[in-house]
Amino acid sequence: MSLLVVGVSHRSAPVSVLERAALSADAQAKLLQDTLAAEPAAEAATLATCNRIELYADVDKFHAGVAELSTLLAQHCGVGLEELTPYLYVHYEDRAVHHLFSVACGLDSMVVGEGQILGQIKDALALGQELHTAGRLLNDLFQQALRVGKRAHSETGIDRAGQSVVTFGLEQLAGGADVAGWARGKRALVIGAGSMSSLAAATLARAGAGEIIVANRTQARAERLAEILGGAGVTAAVVPMDAVDGELARADLVVSCTGATGLVLTAESVARALGEEFTPAVPAAEADAEPTVEPAAGTAADAVSDAFSDVPADATAATAAARAVDALEQHGAWAGTAGTAAPRPVRRIAADGAAPPRLALLDLAMPRDIDAGVHRISGARLVDIESLADASADAPMAADVDAVRTIVADEVAAFGAAQRAAHITPTVVALRTMAAGVVAGEIARLDGRLPDLDDKERAEISQTVRRVVDKLLHAPTVRVKQLASEPGGAGYADALRELFDLDPLTVAAVSRADLTDLSNTDVKNRGRA
């Protein structure tokens, strides 16, 4: 196994870089194809979310693989290589497996323990399979990562440590108050109708929001979301995107998560809706901490499948609502990132009886949908990705996190052993195939020398010879599989090939065959002449 992962995430890069490091669905496909065309890579898969972009590959050369994957990642995500390099991380072999398993369990997420990443890992695997860039190694790796993530959530209480990023964001807006009590009766404006915005709308519906207004560039999707919300007993309506500014003045709460590459809500429009004046000048120190950059590509949310696609068209409104909410909770798009730059100060809800802000805004998009200048508007409270990351860093860790880490460590060891054992299997199969060929040749030679043997005698001799060969090969092949499954055991396959003079091309042919159905293979290894 020569697994390599090169990536950038909320743990390694500031928001100013992550806002531009984005991969659309088309860019992901092109990245995978270009990676496979590169010499060091035999397989490739990409995990692209709003807070991480990772490229996985099976490479034959470590240093060449790192250089090639880093270059390709920079080319396709829209950030120059020189700028991106300081924020890239690299994991190799078992450490790469450990990283993906940790990601699948939610240990590497901004909100520890969140389970939404499992849907994105599933999507990454599906894309690799669709484009035929994921081979045996990456198929095994991603499928096992999904199993490990599910095991962590079923065997531990990691769910108590993690929560939906939507819920976490709403809790921050509520200032510690119960979200259901805080949101009850509020008029909410939801901008976007993708997985994350839909999850936010469903969460607000359950929390008792009085009315939910949906705005989306594709009106059909907005109408579908409003229909499902209405089926759940919530008053819901749809407005076009050009009516958003007008809706601000009537809204109590705004949630935005779109795939736009520019701002959806400016600070000026928010201030105007609140009847305030906004001074666009930004202090020099703040400008340095948060440079204004025009993003170069769409967000990874473009690649997230429609969370409502599984709801039957003829389902009742209540059934559709229930199924949609369940699907969204399991497969919502993940948004979040923590930068290394100092976070922009976040206004807290006033205490000691002071009046709370007139408008609460939650920005779950990356790049951001809502102008960070809204933080300076007295009548508004904005919680965005940066402030969520800051709040999450102070959140207490659940005791079950240690149990999940133990699961990950055990699963990494088991996966590595299985891969190493699988590596030697083609050599063992080729050896036994060669032995069977030798037995068949000797039996044919015996038939020529003793033509008077009857069928019973010939069968008994054949069985005896095969039994002798099987007994001679049994202990060595069992032992070599055990040795090969241990760290550093890859050399045993080479030793076996040398000792028995097995043709490497024949062994390679066996490795490409379906080892679960050897009867369908044409491999016959009689050694090299």
Side-chain angles (χ1 to χ4, degrees):
M1 177 178 63
S2 299
L3 177 66
L4 175 67
V5 56
V6 176
V8 59
S9 77
H10 67 285
R11 294 189 179 275
S12 68
V15 172
S16 58
V17 173
L18 285 174
E19 281 191 311
R20 289 177 293 136
L23 286 176
S24 65
D26 291 340
Q28 287 184 56
K30 189 66 167 62
L31 173 59
L32 290 178
Q33 292 164 349
D34 289 352
T35 301
L36 220 61
E39 184 176 343
E43 301 180 33
T46 181
L47 179 58
T49 72
C50 291
N51 70 333
R52 75 175 67 247
I53 299 176
E54 295 177 345
L55 181 56
Y56 292 77
D58 181 12
V59 299
D60 56 5
K61 299 174 183 177
F62 172 74
H63 293 291
V66 171
E68 189 67 38
L69 266 59
S70 300
T71 300
L72 288 169
L73 203 61
Q75 287 176 352
H76 290 277
C77 77
V79 178
L81 180 60
E82 291 185 0
E83 182 180 2
L84 190 64
T85 297
Y87 307 111
L88 291 175
Y89 49 80
V90 174
H91 299 297
Y92 190 55
E93 295 188 337
D94 284 353
R95 290 184 63 86
V97 177
H98 188 280
H99 174 73
L100 181 59
F101 287 4
S102 297
V103 170
C105 294
L107 293 180
D108 198 59
S109 297
M110 185 181 66
V111 180
V112 174
E114 60 90 17
Q116 298 167 24
I117 188 65
L118 288 174
Q120 294 168 320
I121 292 175
K122 184 177 180 181
D123 287 345
L125 175 59
L127 180 62
Q129 292 172 335
E130 178 185 348
L131 298 177
H132 305 291
T133 62
R136 177 176 294 184
L137 173 60
L138 293 184
N139 269 285
D140 290 348
L141 174 68
F142 276 71
Q143 288 174 4
Q144 187 62 25
L146 291 171
R147 287 190 285 267
V148 173
K150 292 175 182 177
R151 180 189 169 193
H153 285 279
S154 64
E155 295 184 11
T156 74
I158 191 67
D159 290 332
R160 294 194 297 268
Q163 56 188 314
S164 161
V165 68
V166 170
T167 303
F168 187 63
L170 291 175
E171 286 181 353
Q172 296 305 302
L173 280 179
D178 178 64
V179 171
W182 173 79
R184 186 170 295 114
K186 278 185 167 54
R187 191 174 196 273
L189 171 62
V190 176
I191 306 174
S195 297
M196 182 62 80
S197 297
S198 300
L199 177 57
T203 303
L204 290 170
R206 289 198 305 273
E211 184 178 7
I212 298 177
I213 307 300
V214 182
N216 189 57
R217 297 190 186 282
T218 305
Q219 187 164 343
R221 273 185 94 172
E223 290 174 349
R224 177 61 172 153
L225 174 56
E227 178 186 349
I228 292 175
L229 293 171
V234 179
T235 301
V238 173
V239 298
M241 287 295 292
D242 57 13
V244 164
D245 284 358
E247 289 293 328
L248 287 176
R250 298 193 294 151
D252 302 306
L253 167 65
V254 176
V255 178
S256 185
C257 186
T258 72
T261 58
L263 294 176
V264 174
L265 291 180
T266 65
E268 290 83 354
S269 63
V270 174
R272 187 165 52 250
L274 295 173
E276 297 186 25
E277 292 186 1
F278 177 75
T279 303
V282 179
E286 188 174 345
D288 290 339
E290 185 71 28
T292 301
V293 181
E294 188 66 22
T299 68
D302 296 331
V304 179
S305 61
D306 185 359
F308 295 97
S309 59
D310 293 332
V311 181
D314 58 350
T316 65
T319 300
R323 292 190 59 180
V325 169
D326 289 341
L328 287 166
E329 289 179 338
Q330 295 297 321
H331 193 66
W334 172 251
T337 171
T340 57
R344 191 181 289 271
V346 178
R347 295 184 183 274
R348 301 294 177 185
I349 291 182
D352 301 327
R358 159 73 177 78
L359 180 62
L361 302 99
L362 178 59
D363 184 0
L364 298 174
M366 181 60 68
R368 68 178 77 242
D369 278 348
I370 303 176
D371 190 345
V374 172
H375 283 300
R376 302 194 303 277
I377 299 175
S378 62
R381 170 169 165 75
L382 171 63
V383 169
D384 53 19
I385 291 303
E386 203 164 13
S387 52
L388 279 176
D390 186 41
S392 177
D394 297 328
M397 299 287 285
D400 294 276
V401 168
D402 286 340
V404 174
R405 287 174 177 156
T406 299
I407 289 176
V408 169
D410 292 344
E411 291 285 357
V412 169
F415 183 83
Q419 289 296 312
R420 287 186 289 269
H423 178 70
I424 203 169
T425 298
T427 301
V428 172
V429 171
L431 173 61
R432 288 192 172 275
T433 302
M434 182 191 74
V438 171
V439 169
E442 290 302 315
I443 295 299
R445 181 170 173 270
L446 184 64
D447 286 343
R449 298 184 63 179
L450 300 175
D452 296 332
L453 288 174
D454 60 31
D455 291 342
K456 183 178 180 180
E457 292 170 332
R458 185 179 295 104
E460 184 64 31
I461 293 173
S462 297
Q463 186 175 0
T464 299
V465 175
R466 291 192 179 93
R467 191 160 49 242
V468 169
V469 171
D470 286 343
K471 287 184 176 181
L472 287 173
L473 291 180
H474 176 72
T477 53
V478 169
R479 183 61 179 149
V480 78
K481 286 183 177 180
Q482 293 173 342
L483 293 171
S485 66
E486 298 173 358
Y492 287 100
D494 297 332
L496 202 63
R497 286 194 295 269
E498 288 295 326
L499 288 172
F500 287 91
D501 197 26
L502 300 176
D503 186 351
L505 295 178
T506 304
V507 175
V510 174
S511 67
R512 289 192 298 270
D514 182 1
L515 299 180
T516 63
D517 186 9
L518 296 177
S519 63
N520 291 334
T521 67
D522 296 325
V523 178
K524 293 183 179 180
N525 190 334
R526 301 178 185 273
R528 291 192 297 252

